[in-house]
Amino acid sequence: MKNNDIAEKNRWQKRRAAKRAKLAAAGMADGIVVPSEKTVSFLETVIASGDRVVLEGNNQKQADFLSRSLAQADPGRLNNLHMVIPSISRPEHLDLFEKGIARKVDFSYCGTQSLRMSQLLEDGLLEVGAIHTYIELYARLFIDLIPNVVLCAGFAADRHGNIYTGPSTEDSPALIEAAAFSDGIVIVQVNELVEETADLPRVDIPASWVDFVVVADRPFYIEPLFTRDPKHIKPVHVLMGMMAIKGIYLRHQVQSLNHGIGFNTAAIELLLPTYGESLGLKGKICRHWALNPHPTLIPAVESGWVESVHCFGTELGMEDYVAARPDIFFTGKDGSLRSNRLLCQLAGQYAVDLFIGSTLQMDGSGHSSTVTKGRLSGFGGAPNMGHDPGGRRHSSRAWLEMRRPSENEAETYLSRGKKLVVQMVETFQEGGRPTFVPELDAVDVARHAGMPLAPVMVYGEDVTHLLTEEGIAYLYRADGLRERQNMIAAVAGVTDTGLAQDPAETRRLRSKGLVAFPEDLGISRTEATRGLLAAKNIADLAEWSGGLYRPPVKFRSW
Amino acid sequence: MKNNDIAEKNRWQKRRAAKRAKLAAAGMADGIVVPSEKTVSFLETVIASGDRVVLEGNNQKQADFLSRSLAQADPGRLNNLHMVIPSISRPEHLDLFEKGIARKVDFSYCGTQSLRMSQLLEDGLLEVGAIHTYIELYARLFIDLIPNVVLCAGFAADRHGNIYTGPSTEDSPALIEAAAFSDGIVIVQVNELVEETADLPRVDIPASWVDFVVVADRPFYIEPLFTRDPKHIKPVHVLMGMMAIKGIYLRHQVQSLNHGIGFNTAAIELLLPTYGESLGLKGKICRHWALNPHPTLIPAVESGWVESVHCFGTELGMEDYVAARPDIFFTGKDGSLRSNRLLCQLAGQYAVDLFIGSTLQMDGSGHSSTVTKGRLSGFGGAPNMGHDPGGRRHSSRAWLEMRRPSENEAETYLSRGKKLVVQMVETFQEGGRPTFVPELDAVDVARHAGMPLAPVMVYGEDVTHLLTEEGIAYLYRADGLRERQNMIAAVAGVTDTGLAQDPAETRRLRSKGLVAFPEDLGISRTEATRGLLAAKNIADLAEWSGGLYRPPVKFRSW
């Protein structure tokens, strides 16, 4: 090759050249398995200052050995990293910024670390690229956030680099693909190393996408985030669950859905086999789910309500149960769950009839947010589930029913259906704070953090139904913003928003069926007792599962 | 195990049991490689009547050996299949229905077969589940269209079942995942079988997701769908391209984008290194792309405009060029392109500033469709690219500029940006049919096919900019439907829609900057000549590429 040919070639392969140089410096010519005790210096070698580094912080799979190792790097040698972390969930994620190793972060969710995050931002130690939903963060990895290095976690690897992620595949395939096909470097921590591919239960990520594996000092951290103990479900949740089933699921014949996580939706799951059964609805509604394997779904599965569940991630304790129900859950040839956050987010957006979730605050127009003062908690996936995907073109009965009726035939053909987005909230939160507020705290958070937009989870115009203990507002039928506001006020109870309602207007809304109180739906408040729940506690759930569900210790009281 | 334990277990593993029975009947105990000559009877064995079968019909990868084999099955033995075909592109896809092997179809796109499709529907030989966009069809595979069998195509497989898809990975990972983790059966046709994994260029699909491979009788069919010969670009396309660059890309500082396929957008690609350069825009706009490897993008890549391109699929003839530009295109360790239709659709929705595309018809409110009478052509991905994804939460300058300004500070924090959706159309189509029509043919198609909704590609309320040879209508600034209609009429030329405009209103719209004619943008119509194109023909493109682009024979004239 002539010199100018080489120069021409090099001009287009800078990322590949940088990778080769790092790999040469790492001196791993004889294999891909990094000795665990050398992880810190290895990361200092294969990551360069200023690199964009994706770190798997997930709901239920943490690349925590890698993050702890990275946090031990010498900031004199490694600094100004641009981190991309789907879920900032470990203390060492923020240590990176405090120590000066990382500078900028793009992320989706920040739960337990949100207070410290705000502090670091205020102290100028951390710069936020943007706060995303999961799915748009993955998308940007292929456009303008292409990573130099990806740090992920799996259960096991073989010596070639094939990875078994275990039931928490979550976002590993999306994160890894972005680096594997852009001359980035992929490093996966595993709990266990096996010799041959045949020794792995299955392959979730092929070896040709992976550069290095390292055995972690201890199994990655996992937390049962989606377990709700039925003993905490109150009669008001039962009442609201009955309204959801009769006033929304039955009315619109909801076939496929996604539930948020909370005692409200857990109540619905536990009412299907009892109250739902009494309405003769089995096999007629709620057949297909996009959902983590919630333990509270077990009685509905066992009584034959559920045809399929696709999962974002797994849930601790549900492994054996899921494996024993392969007709319902997605499992591999090895028998264990295959979750996939990207695909499940997509399914929850584009393939289901309904999303139902809760929130901390809602304003008079129906905008809602879980962001409260001093906490930069991010979005997760709720905004994707809780909006109407305008790119959808197939229809379902429920979706079509959200159309505004028109006298004009051509207009009807041109009007779209809508995904059902249900906000299910008590009018007051724990501690007596009103859910309905004149202005979302999120607006003030944006003001103070210099954000261009308030971090709204679900916009008012996307909410089709508002369900409180007072009743259901069928917001998709509202004729304009003013009527929507009146409908919200009608079910806002004794909050200021609710007290400002005009009783005559509320009567009109009820008479037109725009708002329904429990009695309008034929539901008596006195019926709504915990006795209707198919399981009253975790032990009941374990029993329903025939012993297959093994609750984590913190949920055991027997 | 006791009998009732076995019964209990079987109750939950019906799909697994069905798969095992099929596999046993197929008698393939000694391997996964199906003898090519036995493919028809093999398919008759592992597919059952009534099964849901996904068949990879793609833009540039066809499981055509498998589809031809399936079409030879005995309809007495195999019938009532429910096919899921992303792109109905081969004659045998419809033979399946004509012969009575298949009955129902869910699909996304139907190009060359659309006329026959309509006929089969009318003759009652075919039933349409729904017409989807690609991404929602993939999503439903995990919710309520879970497949029993998936038939896909790749370049090569090893004897374990690891698959190298070649540069057209396209939707194979999404389709295969749906069956591989639901006890479905995955069968992949390949052009070549190798012995060992190390003999494959790379692994795109791991063996543990694949049940069977079969060597096709000939390499799968591939068509250069995304090649536009610059010799067909007319001065009017150049004019419109200049308006796009100056009046939209520059104005909103568009960083990341997706181009539809057509001579209009090809003109833009070829104007970047000339007209774009003269405006000093290199490195300032159009840096990141979600796009098939369009040959007309070569001059922009070569002159340093393009930082990255993520691809839906590949393009015939571009293989060596793409492989030689790994900093720009996503490539594997083997050096060849890795495309991924699902990820690119996601990126085009959630990560880019702008989509620009063309259409065949637009009504006075801005709704548009490429569906015309007698052709059930489906959607493909355009509706996903051409809408504003309401689940987006990160911002960019271009996205924020689409907000409606508000005096109220809190309202501003609560108002979302929008993705830029540009419709770029000449006022008349080839053959003199007007683009602007009083009613879309799509409405009539829906009426006659009994569809609940007209097959609209892009809805008027999602269009932010309309660009014709007359000018640009900045529709995102329209104050209500009436003004939007007036703005559309102002650039609709001498179509009936355009002739109905009120000249005084058009002057007002121009003076307010809601509509801009070329002269308003400082563009002289006489400047707009083919001389501005960086390449005038395919030979020029090949030359720009340094001989790396190898145009298919049908595009060669030298």
Side-chain angles (χ1 to χ4, degrees), chain A residues 163-188:
Chain A
I163 307 293
Y164 168 58
T165 58
S168 288
T169 304
E170 300 204 82
D171 37 27
S172 300
L175 305 181
I176 289 176
E177 178 152 354
F181 296 101
S182 66
D183 289 313
I185 295 177
V186 175
I187 308 167
V188 183

Short mmCIF file of all heavy atoms in Angstrom, two decimals, chain A residues 163-188:
data_model
loop_
_atom_site.label_atom_id
_atom_site.label_comp_id
_atom_site.label_asym_id
_atom_site.label_seq_id
_atom_site.Cartn_x
_atom_site.Cartn_y
_atom_site.Cartn_z
N ILE A 163 -22.13 -14.45 26.05
CA ILE A 163 -22.68 -14.02 27.34
C ILE A 163 -24.07 -14.61 27.56
O ILE A 163 -24.93 -14.56 26.69
CB ILE A 163 -22.81 -12.47 27.39
CG1 ILE A 163 -21.48 -11.79 27.04
CG2 ILE A 163 -23.34 -12.02 28.76
CD1 ILE A 163 -20.37 -11.99 28.03
N TYR A 164 -24.25 -15.13 28.77
CA TYR A 164 -25.59 -15.47 29.26
C TYR A 164 -25.95 -14.38 30.26
O TYR A 164 -25.29 -14.24 31.29
CB TYR A 164 -25.56 -16.86 29.91
CG TYR A 164 -26.81 -17.20 30.71
CD1 TYR A 164 -28.07 -17.18 30.09
CD2 TYR A 164 -26.75 -17.54 32.05
CE1 TYR A 164 -29.22 -17.49 30.82
CE2 TYR A 164 -27.88 -17.86 32.78
CZ TYR A 164 -29.13 -17.82 32.15
OH TYR A 164 -30.26 -18.14 32.87
N THR A 165 -26.96 -13.59 29.94
CA THR A 165 -27.29 -12.47 30.81
C THR A 165 -28.09 -12.91 32.03
O THR A 165 -28.20 -12.15 32.98
CB THR A 165 -28.15 -11.42 30.08
OG1 THR A 165 -29.34 -12.06 29.63
CG2 THR A 165 -27.41 -10.79 28.92
N GLY A 166 -28.68 -14.10 31.96
CA GLY A 166 -29.66 -14.47 32.97
C GLY A 166 -30.97 -13.79 32.65
O GLY A 166 -31.11 -13.14 31.60
N PRO A 167 -31.95 -13.93 33.56
CA PRO A 167 -33.29 -13.41 33.25
C PRO A 167 -33.37 -11.89 33.13
O PRO A 167 -34.35 -11.37 32.63
CB PRO A 167 -34.15 -13.92 34.43
CG PRO A 167 -33.19 -14.30 35.50
CD PRO A 167 -31.91 -14.66 34.84
N SER A 168 -32.34 -11.18 33.60
CA SER A 168 -32.32 -9.72 33.44
C SER A 168 -31.54 -9.32 32.21
O SER A 168 -30.53 -8.63 32.31
CB SER A 168 -31.67 -9.06 34.66
OG SER A 168 -32.50 -9.13 35.78
N THR A 169 -32.00 -9.71 31.06
CA THR A 169 -31.30 -9.26 29.86
C THR A 169 -31.43 -7.74 29.75
O THR A 169 -30.49 -7.04 29.40
CB THR A 169 -31.88 -9.95 28.61
OG1 THR A 169 -31.80 -11.35 28.80
CG2 THR A 169 -31.09 -9.57 27.37
N GLU A 170 -32.62 -7.24 30.10
CA GLU A 170 -32.89 -5.79 30.16
C GLU A 170 -32.32 -5.04 28.95
O GLU A 170 -32.63 -5.37 27.83
CB GLU A 170 -32.40 -5.24 31.49
CG GLU A 170 -33.11 -5.94 32.66
CD GLU A 170 -33.15 -5.13 33.94
OE1 GLU A 170 -34.03 -4.27 34.06
OE2 GLU A 170 -32.32 -5.38 34.82
N ASP A 171 -31.46 -4.03 29.19
CA ASP A 171 -31.04 -3.27 28.02
C ASP A 171 -29.66 -3.65 27.49
O ASP A 171 -29.14 -2.99 26.58
CB ASP A 171 -31.15 -1.75 28.21
CG ASP A 171 -30.81 -1.25 29.59
OD1 ASP A 171 -30.03 -1.94 30.23
OD2 ASP A 171 -31.30 -0.19 29.99
N SER A 172 -29.09 -4.75 27.99
CA SER A 172 -27.76 -5.15 27.51
C SER A 172 -27.64 -5.25 25.99
O SER A 172 -26.68 -4.73 25.42
CB SER A 172 -27.34 -6.49 28.13
OG SER A 172 -27.30 -6.40 29.53
N PRO A 173 -28.60 -5.89 25.28
CA PRO A 173 -28.41 -6.01 23.83
C PRO A 173 -28.33 -4.65 23.13
O PRO A 173 -27.50 -4.45 22.24
CB PRO A 173 -29.65 -6.79 23.36
CG PRO A 173 -30.13 -7.51 24.57
CD PRO A 173 -29.81 -6.62 25.73
N ALA A 174 -29.15 -3.70 23.56
CA ALA A 174 -29.15 -2.38 22.92
C ALA A 174 -27.85 -1.64 23.23
O ALA A 174 -27.24 -1.04 22.34
CB ALA A 174 -30.35 -1.56 23.41
N LEU A 175 -27.43 -1.66 24.49
CA LEU A 175 -26.21 -0.94 24.87
C LEU A 175 -25.00 -1.53 24.15
O LEU A 175 -24.15 -0.80 23.62
CB LEU A 175 -26.00 -1.02 26.39
CG LEU A 175 -27.14 -0.54 27.29
CD1 LEU A 175 -26.74 -0.65 28.77
CD2 LEU A 175 -27.54 0.90 26.97
N ILE A 176 -24.93 -2.86 24.14
CA ILE A 176 -23.75 -3.51 23.57
C ILE A 176 -23.70 -3.34 22.05
O ILE A 176 -22.64 -3.09 21.49
CB ILE A 176 -23.71 -5.00 23.99
CG1 ILE A 176 -23.38 -5.09 25.49
CG2 ILE A 176 -22.70 -5.78 23.16
CD1 ILE A 176 -23.40 -6.49 26.07
N GLU A 177 -24.85 -3.43 21.39
CA GLU A 177 -24.84 -3.28 19.93
C GLU A 177 -24.23 -1.94 19.52
O GLU A 177 -23.51 -1.86 18.51
CB GLU A 177 -26.27 -3.44 19.36
CG GLU A 177 -26.30 -3.23 17.84
CD GLU A 177 -27.41 -3.97 17.11
OE1 GLU A 177 -28.13 -4.77 17.73
OE2 GLU A 177 -27.53 -3.76 15.89
N ALA A 178 -24.51 -0.89 20.30
CA ALA A 178 -24.03 0.45 19.92
C ALA A 178 -22.51 0.51 19.86
O ALA A 178 -21.94 1.19 19.00
CB ALA A 178 -24.56 1.48 20.91
N ALA A 179 -21.83 -0.19 20.76
CA ALA A 179 -20.36 -0.16 20.75
C ALA A 179 -19.77 -1.25 19.86
O ALA A 179 -18.78 -1.04 19.17
CB ALA A 179 -19.83 -0.32 22.17
N ALA A 180 -20.42 -2.40 19.85
CA ALA A 180 -19.86 -3.55 19.13
C ALA A 180 -19.75 -3.28 17.63
O ALA A 180 -18.89 -3.82 16.96
CB ALA A 180 -20.71 -4.79 19.37
N PHE A 181 -20.62 -2.41 17.13
CA PHE A 181 -20.62 -2.16 15.69
C PHE A 181 -20.17 -0.74 15.34
O PHE A 181 -20.51 -0.22 14.29
CB PHE A 181 -22.00 -2.48 15.12
CG PHE A 181 -22.35 -3.94 15.27
CD1 PHE A 181 -23.19 -4.37 16.27
CD2 PHE A 181 -21.77 -4.88 14.42
CE1 PHE A 181 -23.47 -5.73 16.43
CE2 PHE A 181 -22.05 -6.23 14.57
CZ PHE A 181 -22.91 -6.66 15.58
N SER A 182 -19.44 -0.13 16.26
CA SER A 182 -18.89 1.19 15.98
C SER A 182 -17.44 1.26 16.43
O SER A 182 -16.94 2.33 16.76
CB SER A 182 -19.72 2.26 16.71
OG SER A 182 -19.56 2.11 18.12
N ASP A 183 -16.75 0.10 16.44
CA ASP A 183 -15.38 0.04 16.91
C ASP A 183 -15.24 0.58 18.32
O ASP A 183 -14.21 1.17 18.67
CB ASP A 183 -14.42 0.76 15.95
CG ASP A 183 -14.25 -0.02 14.65
OD1 ASP A 183 -14.01 -1.23 14.71
OD2 ASP A 183 -14.36 0.60 13.56
N GLY A 184 -16.28 0.42 19.10
CA GLY A 184 -16.17 0.69 20.53
C GLY A 184 -15.66 -0.56 21.23
O GLY A 184 -15.44 -1.60 20.60
N ILE A 185 -15.47 -0.45 22.52
CA ILE A 185 -14.97 -1.59 23.30
C ILE A 185 -16.07 -2.05 24.25
O ILE A 185 -16.64 -1.24 24.97
CB ILE A 185 -13.70 -1.19 24.08
CG1 ILE A 185 -12.57 -0.86 23.09
CG2 ILE A 185 -13.28 -2.30 25.05
CD1 ILE A 185 -11.29 -0.37 23.76
N VAL A 186 -16.35 -3.35 24.21
CA VAL A 186 -17.41 -3.91 25.06
C VAL A 186 -16.77 -4.77 26.15
O VAL A 186 -16.05 -5.73 25.85
CB VAL A 186 -18.39 -4.76 24.22
CG1 VAL A 186 -19.41 -5.44 25.13
CG2 VAL A 186 -19.08 -3.90 23.17
N ILE A 187 -17.05 -4.43 27.38
CA ILE A 187 -16.53 -5.17 28.53
C ILE A 187 -17.72 -5.64 29.37
O ILE A 187 -18.57 -4.84 29.73
CB ILE A 187 -15.61 -4.30 29.40
CG1 ILE A 187 -14.52 -3.65 28.53
CG2 ILE A 187 -14.99 -5.11 30.53
CD1 ILE A 187 -13.76 -2.52 29.22
N VAL A 188 -17.77 -6.93 29.64
CA VAL A 188 -18.91 -7.48 30.39
C VAL A 188 -18.40 -8.14 31.67
O VAL A 188 -17.52 -9.01 31.62
CB VAL A 188 -19.69 -8.51 29.54
CG1 VAL A 188 -20.91 -9.00 30.31
CG2 VAL A 188 -20.13 -7.90 28.21
#
